[in-house]
Amino acid sequence: MPELPEVQTIVNTLSPLLAKRRIISATLARRDILTPPIADFPGSIVGRRLASITRRGKRIVFTLDNANRFYIHLGMSGRLVLADPIVPPPRHTHFVARFDITNACELRFTDPRRFGGIWWLGDDATQEDGMGPEPLTLRPVQLERLLSRTARPIKSALLDQSLIAGLGNIYVDESLHAAGIHPLIPAHSLNMDQIRRLNRAIKLILRRAIRHRGSTLRDYRDAAGQPGNYQSIHRVYARAALPCLTCGHPIERIVLGGRSTHFCPNCQPSAAS
DNA sequence: GTCCATGTTCTTTA
DNA sequence: CTAAAGAACATGGA
């Protein structure tokens, strides 16, 4: 599924095209992707202008001109694509919206597995969203604070959206490798030097991934329907048994918290360095 | 048929 | 109480 870089790529494309535009039609093909199941979601957004499209964690947040907000989460297989209405929408297209834009295109939310969906937030901007800070602006002292509170493996801690927002399985593995930190090390036992390295590595990896328009393993597409390019330069993710691109040692794959976890036992020693 | 998948959340187990 | 493991959700590709 899309993680922060993929979601940011979509937002970067959609925002200049759709911000300040008016929604002229909306179709919710299946109600069960909407949380909470408000009575008339299309009726609540048609006729309004989009004030902004932004990213928060892995969420794509739409703010209307009347301060109502909703967000789309892409789950594992979700896509949010602008397409020519002449072209029939693919299977599993659950939501479509049109805007007062001159070039004929409509916004389509398509999600076969339906782990994603649309969440209606209403106009209360004060409510807590339950997510931790954004990794791209995180300071080492903040990261140290967050990690000091838990003995879980560092990989599990970084995947926890309530601790840090936006990281997923790919970029946690890539960041830990870039920082030279073993995924099983308890989060609270990282020393300050490791935390600074990790903080730097996360930002470096995320920025690089955004520059390459994200990673496409299978389902991810950007808002124009194009795959990302970053998957071709993953250094550990999905490279089990292949030589580490840094030292040549075979990449190891373990299962941690039910997720595939890839690391180089040589570059990422399990004992504190 | 099997296993696996970019996520989240709930339940079970220890 | 905490935390880790496991299962569930649903679809499709290899």
Side-chain angles (χ1 to χ4, degrees), chain A residues 5-273:
Chain A
E6 291 75 31
V7 175
Q8 188 66 57
T9 300
I10 290 171
V11 168
N12 287 348
T13 299
L14 292 183
S15 180
L17 292 170
L18 300 183
K20 314 308 175 195
R21 305 318 313 181
R22 194 178 297 281
I23 301 170
I24 59 170
S25 75
T27 310
L28 188 62
R30 40 184 317 156
R31 287 190 49 82
D32 62 357
I33 63 151
L34 179 67
T35 309
I38 62 169
D40 186 12
F41 175 68
S44 302
I45 66 172
V46 168
R48 315 284 359 165
R49 279 183 194 278
L50 265 184
S52 64
I53 302 178
T54 56
R55 179 193 60 75
R56 169 71 175 123
K58 301 171 188 172
R59 301 172 179 177
I60 301 162
V61 183
F62 297 79
T63 303
L64 304 175
D65 59 359
N66 62 356
N68 276 322
R69 294 181 303 152
F70 64 92
Y71 70 84
I72 292 180
H73 194 297
L74 297 172
M76 290 281 257
S77 59
R79 294 182 184 181
L80 196 58
V81 172
L82 282 170
D84 187 331
I86 299 284
V87 178
R91 284 186 70 192
H92 309 297
T93 296
H94 310 310
F95 174 72
V96 177
R98 292 187 186 179
F99 299 82
D100 63 340
I101 43 182
T102 46
N103 56 327
C105 60
E106 61 186 19
L107 185 67
R108 297 168 172 172
F109 171 56
T110 305
D111 183 11
R113 294 173 71 180
R114 271 179 282 132
F115 292 172
I118 302 174
W119 279 260
W120 179 257
L121 297 172
D123 61 3
D124 182 3
T126 64
Q127 63 187 346
E128 218 1 271
D129 64 18
M131 280 185 287
E134 288 289 329
L136 286 173
T137 51
L138 194 62
R139 310 265 310 273
V141 281
Q142 285 180 281
L143 183 59
E144 194 274 332
R145 234 188 126 71
L146 292 165
L147 298 181
S148 67
R149 294 198 292 248
T150 179
R152 299 147 81 193
I154 181 61
K155 157 131 187 183
S156 306
L158 294 175
L159 282 175
D160 185 342
Q161 302 298 296
S162 71
L163 277 186
I164 301 171
L167 295 176
N169 210 31
I170 295 173
Y171 298 110
V172 167
D173 280 7
E174 293 294 323
S175 297
L176 287 172
H177 179 259
I181 294 170
H182 194 286
L184 289 175
I185 293 179
H188 69 179
S189 67
L190 293 185
N191 62 40
M192 204 56 211
D193 182 57
Q194 291 174 306
I195 287 171
R196 281 197 205 92
R197 262 166 34 215
L198 178 57
N199 192 247
R200 264 198 298 273
I202 289 170
K203 291 179 187 192
L204 183 77
I205 295 290
L206 292 179
R207 291 199 188 107
R208 198 178 279 164
I210 292 169
R211 212 175 315 128
H212 288 83
R213 305 188 64 76
S215 304
T216 294
L217 302 189
R218 177 161 57 235
D219 295 311
Y220 169 70
R221 294 294 183 280
D222 68 18
Q226 297 302 307
N229 304 301
Y230 193 70
Q231 66 283 354
S232 63
I233 50 178
H234 290 167
R235 294 183 79 80
V236 284
Y237 188 82
R239 298 196 65 249
L242 295 172
C244 173
L245 294 171
T246 303
C247 75
H249 195 285
I251 298 299
E252 216 168 281
R253 176 187 179 276
I254 60 173
V255 175
L256 208 177
R259 315 299 301 278
S260 271
T261 297
H262 315 79
F263 65 99
C264 170
N266 186 45
C267 297
Q268 299 165 261
S270 49
S273 54

